[in-house]
Amino acid sequence: MTADTASASLAQPGGISDPGLIKLVNKLQDVFTTVGVNNPIDLPQIVVVGSQSSGKSSVLENIVGRDFLPRGSGIVTRRPLVLQLINRPGQPQTNGLEKEIADSTDKAANTEEWGEFLHIPGQKFYDFNKIRDEISRETEAKVGRNAGISPAPINLRIISPNVLNLTLVDLPGLTRVPVGDQPRDIERQIRDMILKYIQKSNAIILAVTAANIDLANSDGLKLAREVDPEGQRTIGVLTKVDLMDEGTDVVDILAGRIIPLRLGYVPVVNRGQRDIDNKKPINAALEAEKNFFENHKAYRNKSSYCGTPYLARKLNLILMMHIKQTLPDIKARISSSLQKYTQELESLGPSMLGNSANIVLNIITEFTNEWRSVLEGNNTELSSIELSGGARISFVFHELYSNGVKALDPFDQVKDVDIRTILYNSSGSSPALFVGTTAFEVIVKQQIKRLEEPSLKCASLVYDELVRILTQLLGKQLYRRYPQLKEKIHAVVITFFKKAMEPTNKLVRDLVSMEACYINTAHPDFLNGHRAMAMVNEKHNPSRPVQVDPKTGKPLAGTPARAASPTLVAGDAETSNTGFFGSFFAAKNKKKAAAMEPPPPTLKASGTLSEREGIEVEVIKLLISSYYNIVKRTMIDMVPKAIMLNLVSFTKDDMQKELLENMYRQSELDDLLKESDYTIRRRKECQQMVDSLGRASEIVSQVQ
């Protein structure tokens, strides 16, 4: 249908209508409202917005053709009103309704028009004054008599031969200053509620604005522009056109020269407050509106495109076309939502349990299998983003622990002067002729003991990783369903870990003690004393290269003279007073030396190392480094094996036995399987959503 054809059809009183599509959306709204879910699939609907004094209520009553909305000062609409208008050709009903209508306070009451509330199924309201009273009563039941507001909608269906099929949502009017008992943040509350409805892409915004104010100051249009800046889904309604100053009109606005809207503007004339007070019938008001536009010089040429009847037809067409466009998306959304909630409902499990012993046994078996799978890397939920499970334990062994042990330097705590002191102490009362084995063993054992701390830290880190895996496994939906079972498994497994940590730590300490207990200088990788001494001598007295004849390439004749045997220089005994312990204690002069003063209470080394001491210290350091590297390699290899044996593999092999011994007790099984409040509530919500979405799917499947 072209735009011209559509406009021409709209201008005709009959208009266009496809009641099936709009009724379909009405059914979907009813389905979701009955479960307390407000429009979860973003259904197409027309949302009415405007300021308090813009005339929203009068526009809606004119469209319906009856007085039915509460009136008063301040905020009258305090809950969203979902108004479903259903066209039903006149079929007078006479089954006992004459008396009800005769007793009615509504003079216009008849058997062809009535209202129905979704919260009172089956009851028909032929008296529209009672509809107004019920709206007020239901509003006060939710928000009380004060001026508070609530987002919970009231669903009202009006069946009449005088309406076109429409679905409208009337929202509280925008206000700026709180009055009386209104909350201080009433403006923000109303604004948030309106935005929640109009920001949905399937909502058509009906922005009601009084024509006798500047359009740029329109609260409704301003809010609509926030969510629809291009004006693609906003239709403007200009009220109070008859109250504009003499000589002014809204022609420029209708032509889109002020604030253009793709769906355009429709001017209407409503009843004034005096007309309402004087009970002026809406039929008479609609006739007066028609005469106004037909006789006004600015509007008479386009009078068929003005007024409430044209607005109703236009809204009917816009809604129908919008539903046609969005129906495939609605079907897809209903289908995907149904699948999502069905899966969640299945994961929550049935409310009826069965044999509690079998359930607990199955959960323990499933948990044990998952535990084993995660540690072995056979888990079906392997991550491509980060390390998890057994891979993190491997990282602790081969990165953290290995690098931590390799970083230990035996000489960051033992300095050369300390080694010299140990050398002297280890020789006892007889000065040593060779580098002492005792000094080497003392220092090496001290440094080996330093490996105990990082080794125990490694065990602790693996323990933390096991707890991490436990927490991840217990985070699954199954264990959220049974909080007491989850807590029990957590407590039993943590106790199990702690029990396994005792032999693990003991074995790690024993490994360190084993290395410190026996220093195996016969190890094939160990640098023995002779080789160490040769390396130091080579460093201090490098051998001179043999001179060769450049012509023949043979060594030159003559060898260097053999070094003479060392002899004591006569003057040395007299001139040198350093002696064997020279760096510990030396007399300053001959008199003190002759006096043989007793040694001081504390003898500490002072001064630099002598050449002999330097050589001995270097030899010791070479030997210590060689052996310490052997021990570090051994620990890097053995400590992970010890932890795997007594902690990781032990928990993997004995987990099921431990859980069964501590949990499989008949007296406790029922308590363990008590469901959480969240699970019970969520299952109910999911069941309601599955039922509603199932009905919604049946409804939309009827439309091809």
Side-chain angles (χ1 to χ4, degrees), residues 410-421 443 617 621:
F411 305 117
D412 59 0
Q413 292 185 357
V414 181
K415 306 301 180 188
D416 289 359
V417 291
D418 302 324
I419 296 174
R420 176 176 60 181
T421 304
I443 297 171
V617 167
K621 288 176 73 173

Side-chain angles (χ1 to χ4, degrees), residues 505-547:
N505 287 336
K506 182 180 185 303
L507 183 53
V508 169
R509 288 192 187 96
D510 287 347
L511 283 174
V512 178
S513 299
M514 284 161 50
E515 292 294 335
C517 174
Y518 179 68
I519 307 301
N520 181 20
T521 54
H523 194 285
D525 295 335
F526 179 58
L527 180 70
N528 58 42
H530 297 295
R531 194 168 165 212
M533 184 65 78
M535 291 171 66
V536 173
N537 284 333
E538 181 67 25
K539 177 182 174 184
H540 285 273
N541 302 304
S543 58
R544 288 182 293 180
V546 178
Q547 295 180 345

Side-chain angles (χ1 to χ4, degrees), residues 265-447:
Y265 293 84
V266 178
V268 297
V269 174
N270 298 328
R271 293 177 298 169
Q273 190 58 47
R274 182 179 296 178
D275 296 333
I276 295 170
D277 294 341
N278 293 334
K279 310 284 188 192
K280 182 178 182 178
I282 289 182
N283 289 339
L286 292 174
E287 188 64 31
E289 179 189 50
K290 179 183 176 186
N291 293 334
F292 173 82
F293 287 117
E294 287 179 348
N295 297 321
H296 195 287
K297 61 181 180 180
Y299 310 117
R300 57 187 169 211
N301 292 333
K302 291 285 186 180
S303 62
S304 57
Y305 298 99
C306 303
T308 303
Y310 173 72
L311 173 64
R313 292 194 297 274
K314 186 179 179 84
L315 292 177
N316 172 262
L317 176 65
I318 289 171
L319 185 59
M320 183 191 70
M321 299 298 289
H322 192 54
I323 293 171
K324 276 185 178 178
Q325 291 171 0
T326 57
L327 195 57
D329 181 56
I330 291 172
K331 285 183 177 180
R333 284 173 181 268
I334 288 174
S335 176
S336 63
S337 296
L338 181 58
Q339 185 179 3
K340 174 186 140 188
Y341 281 104
T342 302
Q343 287 176 348
E344 185 177 352
L345 188 61
E346 288 175 357
S347 71
L348 290 169
S351 56
M352 298 302 291
L353 289 174
N355 188 296
S356 55
N358 289 342
I359 293 172
V360 171
L361 182 61
N362 289 338
I363 290 174
I364 289 174
T365 304
E366 183 180 343
F367 175 82
T368 307
N369 291 336
E370 281 188 343
W371 179 262
R372 191 176 290 112
S373 298
V374 170
L375 290 177
E376 293 174 350
N378 298 328
N379 191 15
T380 55
E381 301 172 4
L382 288 177
S383 171
S384 61
I385 300 169
E386 61 174 355
L387 292 180
S388 60
R392 290 180 64 94
I393 294 174
S394 178
F395 179 81
V396 170
F397 288 152
H398 304 298
E399 285 294 325
L400 300 182
Y401 178 64
S402 176
N403 292 336
V405 170
K406 287 175 183 176
L408 285 177
D409 181 5
F411 305 117
D412 59 0
Q413 292 185 357
V414 181
K415 306 301 180 188
D416 289 359
V417 291
D418 302 324
I419 296 174
R420 176 176 60 181
T421 304
I422 293 172
L423 279 168
Y424 282 121
N425 285 334
S426 65
S427 63
S429 58
S430 301
L433 293 175
F434 303 101
V435 176
T437 303
T438 307
F440 160 73
E441 289 193 359
V442 166
I443 297 171
V444 163
K445 288 181 178 180
Q446 287 177 351
Q447 298 308 308

Side-chain angles (χ1 to χ4, degrees), residues 186-203:
I186 188 69
E187 180 185 4
R188 182 192 58 77
Q189 286 186 30
I190 295 175
R191 177 185 169 85
D192 291 348
M193 182 192 294
I194 293 173
L195 284 173
K196 182 182 174 185
Y197 276 87
I198 66 175
Q199 67 189 1
K200 296 176 180 177
S201 59
N202 282 351

